[in-house]
Amino acid sequence: MSDSAPQLLRHHRPFVAFWMARVFTASGFQMLTVAIGWHLYQLTGNVLDLGLVGLVEFTPRVLFMLHTGHVADRYDRRKVAALCQTLQALIALALALGSVSGHVTRELIFVLAFLLGSARSFEMPATQALLPNVVPAGLFPRAVAASASASQAATIVAPAIGGFLYAFGSTWVYGPTVALYGIACLLTLSLDARQQLAQRGRANLESLLAGIRFIRSRPDIFGAISLDLFAVLLGGATALLPVFAKDILLTGAWGLGLLRSAPAVGALLMSLWLARFPVERKVGLIMFTSVGVFGVATIAFGLSTSFWFSLAVLVVLGAADMISMVIRGAFVQLETPDEMRGRVSAVNGLFIGASNQLGEFESGVTAHWFGTVPAVVLGGVGTLVVTGVWMKLFPTLTHRDRMHNG
């Protein structure tokens, strides 16, 4: 790829609009999540409710998994994503009006959390499948990395902004969130994207399961998606960060905040690097190596008793995870026919969500059984074992040279 390629991406107006829409919608969600958590805890004072609201948001991803991909492939993805962003804006508006009138209840928050999760379940595959329609194939790996940088930047900055605004009242968070989603909606609708629609018709079991069958028929795609599922499931230690911050690293809330943001910082820096210098050769080996580094970083974090070393290790962990994510996301989309991308993205999204949610549960259970440090170390070792096994099970993925073999 020529040296002018990054410049082409930066000046590719449809991608710039797509990237800005990602920034606004990701920032809106992060601010909304912070506000909902604080608001709910102020109402009930029950820690369990904070866990339940996350479960409620995740449930639609399981319930509607097959339908979300079907919708993304059968209808204009721009309109699907814009409609979902509009629904999220209306949710924020309902919370803003409820806060002004004092009518926000625990039950209302759970209902709106379910609607929020539903909107995001349909938005995610539509947005992921839309990106290949926005940029040419030659720029796609860079576009994936640059798109990821939008989400990571929002993850770092938006929660802090949301927390600051909440100090003035919940309406100060919900109001700007409505505007963020509104701008994202307009940007999404402005995109010039050509999409090859799948054959129209009512959803049936055959069409709904087509994405799963396609993934199973492509060993490289199946291997990459399942690798991410099991590696994050075993290696995820974020649920135990409060324990490490308080009991092992002997720091306070400020330290916990830095620990939580460190992986996102590493991921953001790496995404910016990959947008400028994309991985173009030996993509399979590099992906497996990055997952291995993720496992080693997990072990190092579990054994560390130094706050600053732990912080540095988490930055490395986030950077390694980003390499794997960008490579997987790029070649899975490039190897998938356009009329199938929505359904494949929906299955991939369920795997990612399940690995994160179940990973937190797995970390809690193993910490209860074996202790906090052994749980994290065993998780990192498990990630290394999975990496080695997957390299043997999927040799074509291990020796894959380029993103797209076509």
Side-chain angles (χ1 to χ4, degrees), residues 28-47:
F29 174 70
Q30 292 293 337
M31 291 172 62
L32 197 56
T33 300
V34 168
I36 286 175
W38 275 105
H39 204 154
L40 182 61
Y41 192 66
Q42 283 183 330
L43 286 174
T44 69
N46 189 343
V47 178

Side-chain angles (χ1 to χ4, degrees), residues 1-24:
M1 192 171 292
S2 68
D3 292 337
S4 62
Q7 197 75 6
L8 290 175
L9 180 61
R10 203 160 38 237
H11 291 285
H12 194 273
R13 294 185 65 180
F15 175 75
V16 172
F18 178 90
W19 188 87
M20 292 177 65
R22 290 279 292 164
V23 169
F24 286 123

Side-chain angles (χ1 to χ4, degrees), residues 65-73 77 124-126 128-129 207-218 220-222 225 328-352:
M65 177 195 73
L66 298 175
H67 295 278
T68 58
H70 179 88
V71 169
D73 287 334
R77 290 164 185 156
M124 190 278 292
Q128 285 192 350
S207 67
L208 294 177
L209 294 177
I212 296 176
R213 293 198 183 97
F214 177 82
I215 291 172
R216 287 288 291 117
S217 70
R218 300 293 181 97
D220 285 7
I221 294 177
F222 179 64
I225 292 177
R328 183 183 67 254
F331 95 75
V332 167
Q333 292 287 351
L334 290 173
E335 289 289 297
T336 303
D338 188 46
E339 67 273 12
M340 287 288 299
R341 282 177 176 144
R343 282 165 285 181
V344 171
S345 294
V347 177
N348 188 29
L350 178 65
F351 273 45
I352 294 172

Side-chain angles (χ1 to χ4, degrees), residues 53-296:
V53 76
L55 181 62
V56 169
E57 285 183 18
F58 176 72
T59 300
R61 187 171 294 182
V62 178
L63 293 178
F64 305 134
M65 177 195 73
L66 298 175
H67 295 278
T68 58
H70 179 88
V71 169
D73 287 334
R74 293 299 193 274
Y75 301 97
D76 189 329
R77 290 164 185 156
R78 294 172 303 174
K79 295 179 181 178
V80 173
L83 181 61
C84 294
Q85 290 156 2
T86 300
L87 176 57
Q88 291 172 84
L90 292 175
I91 291 169
L93 180 61
L95 287 166
L97 295 176
S99 297
V100 171
S101 62
H103 290 142
V104 176
T105 64
R106 174 180 181 271
E107 291 72 22
L108 177 63
I109 288 179
F110 279 119
V111 170
L112 293 178
F114 181 83
L115 293 176
L116 179 63
S118 301
R120 286 178 56 78
S121 296
F122 282 89
E123 180 190 18
M124 190 278 292
T127 301
Q128 285 192 350
L130 178 61
L131 183 55
N133 305 135
V134 173
V135 297
L139 291 177
F140 187 66
R142 298 178 188 269
V144 172
S147 178
S149 72
S151 298
Q152 295 301 327
T155 301
I156 295 170
V157 177
I161 295 175
F164 174 77
L165 292 176
Y166 198 93
F168 299 96
S170 59
T171 309
W172 285 81
V173 185
Y174 297 136
T177 301
V178 176
L180 290 174
Y181 279 121
I183 296 172
C185 177
L186 294 175
L187 288 169
T188 301
L189 289 175
S190 73
L191 293 175
D192 179 18
R194 296 180 179 180
Q195 173 185 346
Q196 183 177 349
L197 295 176
Q199 186 176 3
R200 288 290 182 94
R202 296 185 63 181
N204 54 49
L205 189 61
E206 181 70 21
S207 67
L208 294 177
L209 294 177
I212 296 176
R213 293 198 183 97
F214 177 82
I215 291 172
R216 287 288 291 117
S217 70
R218 300 293 181 97
D220 285 7
I221 294 177
F222 179 64
I225 292 177
S226 57
L227 172 68
D228 178 73
L229 169 64
F230 289 103
V232 176
L233 175 65
L234 295 173
T238 56
L240 301 178
L241 285 181
V243 182
F244 275 91
K246 180 180 179 182
D247 299 333
I248 297 174
L249 303 177
L250 305 179
T251 184
W254 66 273
L256 175 59
L258 290 177
L259 291 172
R260 284 197 178 278
S261 65
V265 170
L268 174 61
L269 294 175
M270 181 54 67
S271 66
L272 295 174
W273 174 268
L274 292 174
R276 179 65 180 86
F277 304 102
V279 178
E280 296 179 342
R281 303 297 299 269
K282 298 183 178 180
V283 296
L285 183 59
I286 292 175
M287 183 182 69
F288 278 110
T289 301
S290 67
V291 176
V293 171
F294 179 90
V296 172

Side-chain angles (χ1 to χ4, degrees), residues 341-381:
R341 282 177 176 144
R343 282 165 285 181
V344 171
S345 294
V347 177
N348 188 29
L350 178 65
F351 273 45
I352 294 172
S355 64
N356 290 328
Q357 298 290 332
L358 295 179
E360 292 184 1
F361 176 74
E362 178 270 340
S363 296
V365 171
T366 52
H368 177 71
W369 286 348
F370 306 115
T372 302
V373 171
V376 173
V377 173
L378 287 174
V381 171

